[in-house]
Amino acid sequence: MTKVRVAGAGMTAFGSHPERTSRDLFAEAGRDAIEDAGVAREDVEGVYYGNFMGELSEHQGHQGPLAAEALGVQAPATRYESACASSGVALRQAVRDVRNGEADVLVVGGTERMTNLSTAESTEALAIAADELYEVRAGVTFPGAYAMMATAYFEQFGGTREDLAHVAVKNHANAVGNERAQYQREITVEAALESPAVADPLHLYDACPVTDGASAVVLVSEDYADDHNLDAGVAITGTGQGGDRMALQDRENVATSPAATEAAEEAYADAGIGADDVDVAEVHDCFTIAEVLALESLGFFDTGEGITAAREGVTTRDGDLPVNLSGGLKAKGHPVGATGTSQVAELTKLLRGDHVNSEHVPEAQVGVAHNAGGTVASAVVHVLEEVVS
Amino acid sequence: MTDDGEESVGDAGFDEFVAALAEGDGYYVECANGHGSLPPRRVCPECGSADLDETALPETGEVATYTKVHVPAPSFADDAPYVTAVVDFGPVRLTGQVLAAVENVEIGTTVEVGVRVTETRGDPLVVFEPR
Ligand SMILES: [Zn+2]
């Protein structure tokens, strides 16, 4: 089996670009990734592209070919949709295709255009990641669904809004130096607690923002990297995906995310590592409670123990296991379809040593990316490792 | 339900389920192995059994989790704020809105199910009333 290297990574600034089309955003991220990789455009054999709400935000389906065009690449291109895990699942397919020898050079990425919608419209658009008949028609919004998970978590395991506020404070602190992040400013626990309620117990500062942005990575086979003398010092050594019932009402327990546990176990086994080997992680913190569920699913904490990780400093940048050094979805921003590959782009830079926060993880060799769709009815996990030459 | 005077197309299975709830004749679908699920189904999502029977929904359920939604989607603009809950009826759970102040709702609260219409658009809405 061929090994898979990340040869290049690119991201637009995440934030509010209501006037920029998806094709324009992806053109920038993809160009940067291809230039960073140093591969010839004509060597690209496929474009794997994640997008969630293009029909609603741009009246545009069939976005794969547009993504390839935007990059000036003549190759087959396919869009992957798995809600907020769209580019994560695109990446998984690309990793498998390189491993299988189907391709030597692939561009994988994603884009979302969201801020051209009103708050009400984007709330409605995000809700379609839930079950239309049984959840959306009951008035369940995306924050409302995670709020019900938080309520159940507090009841079963304890925890407070203040514990969740520490997750937001940590991720904002990490974003301060990240020039691609939407919010490069610190917040306080007090400000988080006093922010307006969105869906109890979640308030505004527990939620990721509405974001425009694109991200891309270039995957190459090890042979291609060697033959072309590429500086591709990070490998994707593990991939895993898990699934769960769509609606919260059909889950055994809404205070856990077993789809992510399944994805993590598969990815760790694939890479031949365990949770203890992980030095740094980017996890899907669309809401503060989501980061807690992710930490537990990834095996970093026992069930019910992840809630205090940020408050106790375990997952802060100077802690034992820094989580979301990019700022996470909370502060870096969450352009839904771009998020999965942006996590991998950030981890690649963290492991290479050219990320603004690399100084906090100078010895890091193993990174994990956790990307969830909807209320974690979909989950995909990837293991990245520094290639020791 | 009409939209701009035109007949809208229904959702077979689901519409009948909501109509039955409104009549106080709620049901769920049970497979040969005893797994409960909600319509429309052709096979049991747990085991794949195609041997499905409609079975009466218990009269009351218990709140499994809930939230008070302050920021709604446009189709619920005039309904907000409201409380949504997942209610455990034993073999199945069902999501709807609780007709009570959030202060009077907690995990374990006993409720019965019914159907109202939303304030914003007059769409059918599964509701729970504490009792
Ligand atoms: Zn069954």
Side-chain angles (χ1 to χ4, degrees), chain A residues 13-363:
Chain A
F14 279 10
S16 183
H17 312 291
E19 75 294 350
R20 290 185 68 183
T21 59
S22 287
R23 63 187 93 184
D24 177 55
L25 290 163
F26 189 67
E28 179 188 337
R31 174 204 64 198
D32 288 356
I34 291 170
E35 278 177 12
D36 185 38
V39 301
R41 264 185 172 68
E42 51 271 25
D43 285 357
V44 176
E45 293 157 283
V47 178
Y48 295 46
Y49 180 76
N51 173 265
F52 172 53
M53 58 170 73
E55 286 82 358
L56 297 174
S57 65
E58 296 190 303
H59 197 243
Q60 185 66 66
H62 199 195
Q63 294 186 27
L66 280 174
E69 263 180 51
L71 302 184
V73 163
Q74 311 293 326
T78 306
R79 169 182 169 187
Y80 291 79
E81 189 274 308
S82 205
C84 321
S86 293
S87 55
V89 295
L91 179 73
R92 175 169 160 79
Q93 190 57 51
V95 166
R96 285 147 68 110
D97 285 352
V98 172
R99 280 181 172 183
N100 291 339
E102 304 271 347
D104 285 306
V105 183
L106 297 173
V107 174
V108 193
T111 309
E112 209 70 60
R113 185 180 186 193
M114 301 173 71
T115 70
N116 58 324
L117 302 174
S118 67
T119 301
E121 287 168 339
S122 62
T123 300
E124 185 155 83
L126 286 166
I128 68 170
D131 184 322
E132 164 63 22
L133 297 182
Y134 284 101
E135 294 185 312
V136 179
R137 292 188 191 187
V140 175
T141 58
F142 193 40
Y146 270 96
M148 290 199 287
M149 297 170 90
T151 303
Y153 188 99
F154 285 178
E155 172 84 3
Q156 288 179 46
F157 308 120
T160 63
R161 282 194 55 224
E162 191 166 342
D163 292 327
L164 294 180
H166 279 276
V167 176
V169 168
K170 166 181 77 72
N171 292 347
H172 270 267
N174 289 342
V176 167
N178 185 356
E179 60 176 14
R180 305 276 182 214
Q182 187 163 3
Y183 296 136
Q184 296 165 47
R185 60 181 171 84
E186 302 212 36
I187 61 166
T188 63
V189 169
E190 291 70 31
L193 291 174
E194 285 163 17
S195 65
V198 175
D200 298 323
L202 303 180
H203 285 230
L204 190 60
Y205 282 19
D206 289 297
C208 62
V210 169
T211 311
D212 305 306
S215 66
V217 295
V218 177
L219 299 188
V220 299
S221 64
E222 196 163 56
D223 286 347
Y224 183 93
D226 291 346
D227 291 350
H228 292 78
N229 236 344
L230 297 184
D231 181 14
V234 172
I236 297 184
T237 57
T239 178
Q241 186 173 353
D244 204 343
R245 299 284 290 280
M246 181 78 161
L248 286 180
Q249 66 187 22
D250 296 324
R251 313 258 179 92
E252 225 165 278
N253 186 342
V254 299
T256 58
S257 51
T261 306
E262 201 180 310
E265 285 173 355
E266 186 184 3
Y268 292 160
D270 192 24
I273 65 152
D276 289 349
D277 297 314
V278 178
D279 300 311
V280 59
E282 288 286 313
V283 309
H284 198 94
D285 60 324
C286 50
F287 298 94
T288 48
I289 186 67
E291 174 163 320
V292 175
L293 299 179
L295 296 177
E296 296 176 4
S297 288
L298 289 165
F300 302 143
F301 295 87
D302 289 338
T303 303
E305 303 290 323
I307 185 80
T308 52
R311 181 162 61 80
E312 290 173 354
V314 183
T315 51
T316 52
R317 61 190 170 205
D318 299 317
D320 288 344
L321 176 67
V323 172
N324 286 332
L325 280 172
S326 65
L329 284 54
K330 174 70 193 89
K332 183 188 65 178
H334 181 28
V336 177
T339 292
T341 37
S342 80
Q343 294 173 315
V344 170
E346 299 273 3
L347 277 177
T348 298
K349 292 180 180 190
L350 281 163
L351 294 176
R352 290 196 311 211
D354 59 357
H355 190 282
V356 65
N357 281 329
S358 286
E359 59 180 296
H360 296 290
V361 284
E363 310 290 324

